[in-house]
Amino acid sequence: MQLLHDVTDNQREAIVHIEGPLLIVAGAGSGKTRVITRRIGYLMSQGVSPYNILAITFTNKAAHEMGERVKQFSTNKGLWVSTFHKMCARILRQNVDRLGYSREFSIYDSADQLSRIKAIMAEFKMDTAQWKPKTIISAISTAKNKLIGPEQFSTTASGYFNEHVAKIYTKYQSILKTDNALDFDDLLIKTIELFQTHADILELYQERFKFILVDEYQDTNYAQYTITRLLANRYRNICVTGDPDQSIYGWRGADIRNIMDFEKDYPDARVVLLEQNYRSTKHILHAASSIIKRNKYRKQKDIWTENVLGEKIRVIACENEYAEADEITKLIRACRNDKDFKYSDIAIFYRTNAQSRVLEKALRNYAIPYTLVGGLAFYQRKEIKDLLSYLRLYVNSNDEVALERVINTPTRGIGDTTVNKLREWAASQGKNLVYAIQHVDLISEIKGKTALAIKRLAELTAHLQTLPNAPVEEILKQAIDKTGYIAFLKVSGEGERETKDRIANVEEMVNAAHEYDMNYSEGTAQGFLEEVALVSDVDEMKDVAEGVTLMTLHTAKGLEFPVVFITGMEERLLPHTESSDSEEKVEEERRLCYVGITRAMKELFITHAKRRTRYGETTFSVPSRFLSEIPKEILETIDKTDRRDCSSSFFAKGDDFGEPVFSLDREQDTFGPTDIKPKTPSASFANGEVVRHPVFGIGRILEVYGSNDKASVKVNFNVGGIKSLLLAYAKLEKV
């Protein structure tokens, strides 16, 4: 049988298992996706209807690829291959009226959520400088993923912060209900609420999904775990795959215990280990294994490969982040020119998004094309959000966040004062902003041109709603035409290039709608919005990028590249400074490092800097403890520090990578600030003076402040930008 052709004994065991719980512990690069898709194909070959199979992945991209692979073996008509959020949205579209919502509900993304939270905080007269809105959103999200609603949160809240969060949480959920909207977390918890309060609906989906497969189970949170358990309770034909060693999303609620305790939840579960790696060289795999075995909380497995030994892992010590970026660009050119790798074969990983700026600059300086994953995504661009808001109003006339966005876009003469009057009147009537613009004639304080502008906006939204079941492309074109949106962009005051880019984005948005209409003969505007709302950074990646790929280590999970660079391998970056107070968090950082290493197929480069600027301060760094956990015999260490002027090397064109001379022995490391004694500045400095720094080169002093050993300067360097430096350490000289 083709399904069982060219598989290992362990892979075969996982594929042919039919009834009862199954745990597949799949090491990195072990062919997990292949096993899952063939298992689905095998189930159907044994008479299981695709209608009775549910497969859950963590990205739309992965879901699409899995669906396409299954087609090789059998028809997938009726098969659900979906993310958790998309599955829940689909269930709620059919049943959310049971919970008092309309089926045309909007899905609020993170930007919409932030807008709502800020508005509530303004109403409560809370200072956003003191109370960070994103921190409050995170607290609410954490509560939701633990299935703690606003009432329970309010009754158990202790402490000043939580008491304020409780007030905001309660108000926020009330507004969502009024707006007929759900946020991402609500998609999960409302599905659970639906299942727990309506036994008939739960039974309906239990009967439908007699066989359930969940990929990346180590990344599930408590809400996702609960949904899975509820659906699987009747037939218990649940198969989960994952790798505890790749559990890296604890910060967003993922609970490694879900996979670690699977055998406790299902004592009769069969466990299959997939330990053979088909992706990486022996050296790369040896490095990864040496690091991850230091973790205590894990399922023991020994990944191995029949692949070649491969190149040693190159570890490069650089003077600063600019020198680091410079070395990486030169190595990339060498990979392309000397080893015939394509730019698309190469990826650069970093721990924090802030690290990408210097890397991008270096790539641009060397004319190396690149793709930044996790930058401002297409559907988050201003003009795209504007058009999506019109589309959202077409679907859900109660979507107040969408209305707020377009109420004066394009400019209609409806300013903040008028909007506040509309709000006040709406509140006095117990209604929302949407109701107010529809009844502006009843508001005596709003007259003349302003009232006329509001009427025209109400007429526009009403007109759009007269296009039932129209193609999404047509609705968008109508919105663009009736609002004069292109003309608005042309006179909006942006530069010529930016204006052209924004118009091009609008055109691409129409193309996306056209593509959706072509691919989904029964598609709707609601369906299109759902696709857009649930898209991720990885989903937006092109299958074959034209250039080098830049992304965070977290985003890199599930991907692979022939050549990988892991940058900033330093204490306080990897492991991150926020993990230092917890061994549990350090273990997650180690898993993150493991994930990064195991993305590499043929060559792996690791870089770290002697100095790095963070939060405007340049500090000394020490190599990450994870480097010392890799056997030295598989490393080629290269020291590029102690240059005469490393800032000038940022633009250098040479390809000399130096000789391996530095030690990774942390006990012998001399990079730390404790090893440097402060010196009294030898000369005074004044604002406006031109100075030279041994690392950053030439710059001009913007500000002198502090005294004695705290004496500091803020300098705008030609290469490094604005830096704040302690004079005791800076080694500045006047030019």
Side-chain angles (χ1 to χ4, degrees):
M1 181 183 294
Q2 185 186 4
L3 288 163
L4 301 177
H5 174 69
D6 194 27
V7 298
T8 67
D9 290 342
N10 284 17
Q11 288 176 335
R12 178 189 294 267
E13 183 181 358
I15 291 169
V16 303
H17 178 89
I18 296 182
E19 295 188 342
L22 172 66
L23 169 62
I24 305 172
V25 181
S30 61
K32 169 171 63 68
T33 303
R34 183 187 190 205
V35 170
I36 296 171
T37 53
R38 292 200 180 191
R39 173 170 163 76
I40 294 171
Y42 186 82
L43 287 172
M44 291 188 292
S45 75
Q46 299 302 299
V48 177
S49 169
Y51 183 84
N52 294 129
I53 300 174
L54 169 66
I56 299 176
T57 68
F58 268 79
T59 68
N60 294 308
K61 187 181 177 75
H64 176 73
E65 290 175 354
M66 187 177 293
E68 289 300 307
R69 289 196 189 190
V70 171
K71 286 181 182 177
Q72 301 173 29
F73 309 115
S74 178
T75 176
N76 63 353
K77 190 174 183 180
L79 172 71
W80 275 29
V81 184
S82 172
T83 64
F84 270 106
H85 290 90
K86 197 168 184 177
M87 175 193 73
C88 289
R90 193 170 175 181
I91 291 171
L92 292 171
R93 289 291 179 206
Q94 298 298 316
N95 305 283
V96 77
D97 51 319
R98 296 278 197 104
L99 301 178
Y101 290 79
S102 163
R103 295 183 181 185
E104 290 73 38
F105 62 83
S106 297
I107 300 174
Y108 281 180
D109 63 15
S110 54
D112 299 326
Q113 191 177 24
L114 184 61
S115 170
R116 271 287 172 244
I117 293 297
K118 284 182 175 179
I120 295 169
M121 291 175 69
E123 183 182 334
F124 290 162
K125 295 180 171 53
M126 295 175 65
D127 184 3
T128 55
Q130 179 184 358
W131 302 87
K132 300 297 183 185
K134 288 186 177 180
T135 303
I136 291 171
I137 289 171
S138 178
I140 293 173
S141 180
T142 298
K144 286 186 176 185
N145 286 319
K146 292 179 179 179
L147 306 186
I148 299 172
E151 275 189 38
Q152 184 183 352
F153 192 95
S154 297
T155 57
T156 58
S158 60
Y160 195 60
F161 175 76
N162 283 333
E163 287 171 1
H164 280 75
V165 171
K167 286 171 53 182
I168 295 169
Y169 186 8
T170 301
K171 180 71 173 180
Y172 173 63
Q173 290 303 119
S174 173
I175 289 175
L176 284 178
K177 188 71 176 288
T178 302
D179 291 354
N180 192 38
L182 304 176
D183 63 24
F184 292 148
D185 295 321
D186 285 333
L187 293 175
L188 303 177
I189 65 172
K190 291 300 177 183
T191 300
I192 293 171
E193 182 183 341
L194 185 69
F195 286 165
Q196 291 179 334
T197 57
H198 296 83
D200 59 319
I201 294 176
L202 174 59
E203 185 178 350
L204 175 71
Y205 286 101
Q206 286 177 332
E207 284 296 324
R208 171 153 192 183
F209 302 130
K210 295 178 180 179
F211 293 85
I212 300 170
L213 299 91
V214 184
D215 194 15
E216 305 289 2
Y217 195 62
Q218 77 279 349
D219 294 333
T220 54
N221 59 30
Y222 182 66
Q224 292 161 336
Y225 165 83
T226 302
I227 291 169
T228 306
R229 290 272 290 172
L230 285 168
L231 287 173
N233 269 351
R234 175 163 294 209
Y235 290 99
R236 303 179 76 254
N237 296 325
I238 178 170
C239 167
V240 302
T241 66
D243 182 7
D245 289 339
Q246 297 185 64
S247 179
I248 59 174
Y249 296 119
W251 52 276
R252 71 181 189 193
D255 193 340
I256 192 174
R257 293 174 300 181
N258 293 346
I259 192 168
M260 293 293 288
D261 294 343
F262 184 83
E263 295 158 87
K264 293 181 182 177
D265 292 335
Y266 302 94
D268 57 333
R270 178 175 292 184
V271 181
V272 177
L273 299 181
L274 302 182
E275 297 173 297
Q276 183 175 356
N277 177 286
Y278 300 94
R279 175 186 299 152
S280 307
T281 65
K282 284 185 171 68
H283 277 327
I284 292 171
L285 214 56
H286 189 183
S289 298
S290 299
I291 290 174
I292 200 63
K293 72 180 183 182
R294 302 294 184 105
N295 276 4
K296 297 176 182 177
Y297 191 57
R298 61 190 293 260
K299 284 189 178 290
Q300 185 58 43
K301 65 180 182 303
D302 298 305
I303 55 174
W304 58 277
T305 186
E306 293 179 344
N307 293 342
V308 299
L309 196 63
E311 300 275 354
K312 288 186 176 182
I313 289 94
R314 261 70 57 85
V315 180
I316 304 124
C318 303
E319 192 68 27
N320 60 22
E321 64 263 43
Y322 297 99
E324 178 185 51
D326 187 47
E327 294 301 328
I328 290 170
T329 54
K330 290 187 291 183
L331 286 164
I332 288 172
R333 289 195 306 168
C335 286
R336 188 171 185 265
N337 298 333
D338 302 337
K339 299 185 179 182
D340 293 327
F341 287 112
K342 301 186 292 255
Y343 284 136
S344 58
D345 291 332
I346 303 168
I348 305 173
F349 301 154
Y350 35 83
R351 177 62 177 83
T352 65
N353 278 306
Q355 293 169 255
S356 73
R357 183 185 64 82
V358 175
L359 293 164
E360 287 186 79
K361 185 173 183 178
L363 292 168
R364 288 195 299 268
N365 288 338
Y366 281 88
I368 296 173
Y370 67 90
T371 298
L372 180 66
V373 180
L376 186 62
F378 177 79
Y379 290 110
Q380 293 299 319
R381 294 169 185 170
K382 181 182 183 304
E383 57 276 12
I384 302 304
K385 292 281 284 184
D386 290 345
L387 295 180
L388 287 173
S389 293
Y390 281 109
L391 200 57
R392 283 164 52 172
L393 286 170
Y394 164 80
V395 172
N396 174 19
S397 60
N398 287 316
D399 192 333
E400 192 166 311
V401 170
L403 177 62
E404 287 174 352
R405 185 173 188 94
V406 300
I407 196 167
N408 202 39
T409 303
T411 307
R412 299 185 172 88
I414 307 173
D416 291 342
T417 301
T418 300
V419 173
N420 288 333
K421 289 178 181 178
L422 288 165
R423 286 190 188 283
E424 289 170 4
W425 185 86
S428 71
Q429 303 296 310
K431 303 292 185 178
N432 63 6
L433 189 62
V434 176
Y435 182 86
I437 73 161
Q438 293 170 343
H439 298 80
V440 68
D441 284 338
L442 303 177
I443 308 174
S444 59
E445 294 179 335
I446 302 176
K447 299 177 180 178
K449 291 182 179 180
T450 305
L452 183 60
I454 294 170
K455 285 181 184 179
R456 285 174 177 171
L457 174 61
E459 288 168 1
L460 170 63
T461 57
H463 168 73
L464 291 177
Q465 289 164 1
T466 64
L467 306 170
N469 304 318
V472 181
E473 180 184 4
E474 176 62 24
I475 301 167
L476 274 177
K477 284 181 174 179
Q478 287 269 351
I480 294 166
D481 179 58
K482 296 291 184 183
T483 60
Y485 195 81
I486 299 296
F488 162 71
L489 291 180
K490 290 178 179 179
V491 299
S492 61
E494 308 288 354
E496 183 179 354
R497 181 175 177 180
E498 186 169 347
T499 298
K500 286 181 178 179
D501 286 345
R502 294 182 69 186
I503 292 173
N505 287 336
V506 171
E507 292 170 350
E508 183 58 29
M509 176 68 175
V510 175
N511 291 340
H514 174 79
E515 185 178 317
Y516 175 85
D517 291 333
M518 292 297 99
N519 290 337
Y520 300 94
S521 58
E522 298 182 0
T524 62
Q526 186 183 81
F528 178 75
L529 287 170
E530 201 164 287
E531 291 278 335
V532 169
L534 301 178
V535 74
S536 68
D537 292 337
V538 174
D539 293 330
E540 290 205 275
M541 282 183 63
K542 296 179 181 178
D543 290 334
V544 181
E546 296 178 356
V548 175
T549 301
L550 278 71
M551 61 174 62
T552 66
L553 283 160
H554 284 97
T555 308
K557 189 168 175 294
L559 305 175
E560 61 182 30
F561 298 89
V563 181
V564 164
F565 290 83
I566 300 178
T567 66
M569 187 69 85
E570 302 146 27
E571 293 292 312
R572 299 191 297 167
L573 264 182
L574 188 65
H576 197 273
T577 185
E578 293 180 0
S579 69
S580 59
D581 62 341
S582 165
E583 184 58 34
E584 183 180 333
K585 290 180 180 178
V586 170
E587 288 210 352
E588 180 158 317
E589 291 289 298
R590 187 175 280 109
R591 293 194 293 268
L592 185 60
C593 182
Y594 172 81
V595 165
I597 291 173
T598 54
R599 299 312 93 193
M601 301 167 70
K602 296 181 179 180
E603 296 200 26
L604 174 64
F605 299 86
I606 298 174
T607 63
H608 63 95
K610 184 177 176 180
R611 300 178 180 88
R612 190 174 297 273
T613 302
R614 300 182 71 194
Y615 308 110
E617 299 288 337
T618 300
T619 59
F620 286 83
S621 303
V622 297
S624 168
R625 71 192 72 183
F626 302 148
L627 280 175
S628 65
E629 296 170 359
I630 303 174
K632 292 182 180 179
E633 62 267 21
I634 65 171
L635 297 178
E636 178 186 346
T637 56
I638 303 167
D639 191 352
K640 302 294 285 188
T641 62
D642 297 325
R643 297 178 175 180
R644 185 179 60 189
D645 187 349
C646 288
S647 62
S648 64
S649 75
F650 187 58
F651 300 99
K653 305 300 181 186
D655 286 313
D656 178 20
F657 302 133
E659 296 296 322
V661 295
F662 79 97
S663 171
L664 292 176
D665 187 342
R666 296 181 68 237
E667 293 183 359
Q668 298 178 18
D669 190 279
T670 58
F671 291 168
T674 56
D675 300 315
I676 300 176
K677 306 300 182 187
K679 298 177 181 179
T680 302
S682 59
S684 60
F685 295 90
N687 293 354
E689 287 185 325
V690 178
V691 294
R692 179 185 285 111
H693 187 272
V695 173
F696 303 115
I698 303 296
R700 187 178 295 275
I701 294 177
L702 301 177
E703 182 183 358
V704 181
Y705 58 97
S707 59
N708 300 324
D709 62 342
K710 299 292 186 182
S712 303
V713 290
K714 185 175 288 184
V715 185
N716 187 7
F717 290 103
N718 295 338
V719 175
I722 297 175
K723 309 291 181 187
S724 295
L725 306 172
L726 281 169
L727 286 173
Y729 301 105
K731 298 180 181 179
L732 287 178
E733 61 182 41
K734 296 181 182 181
V735 176

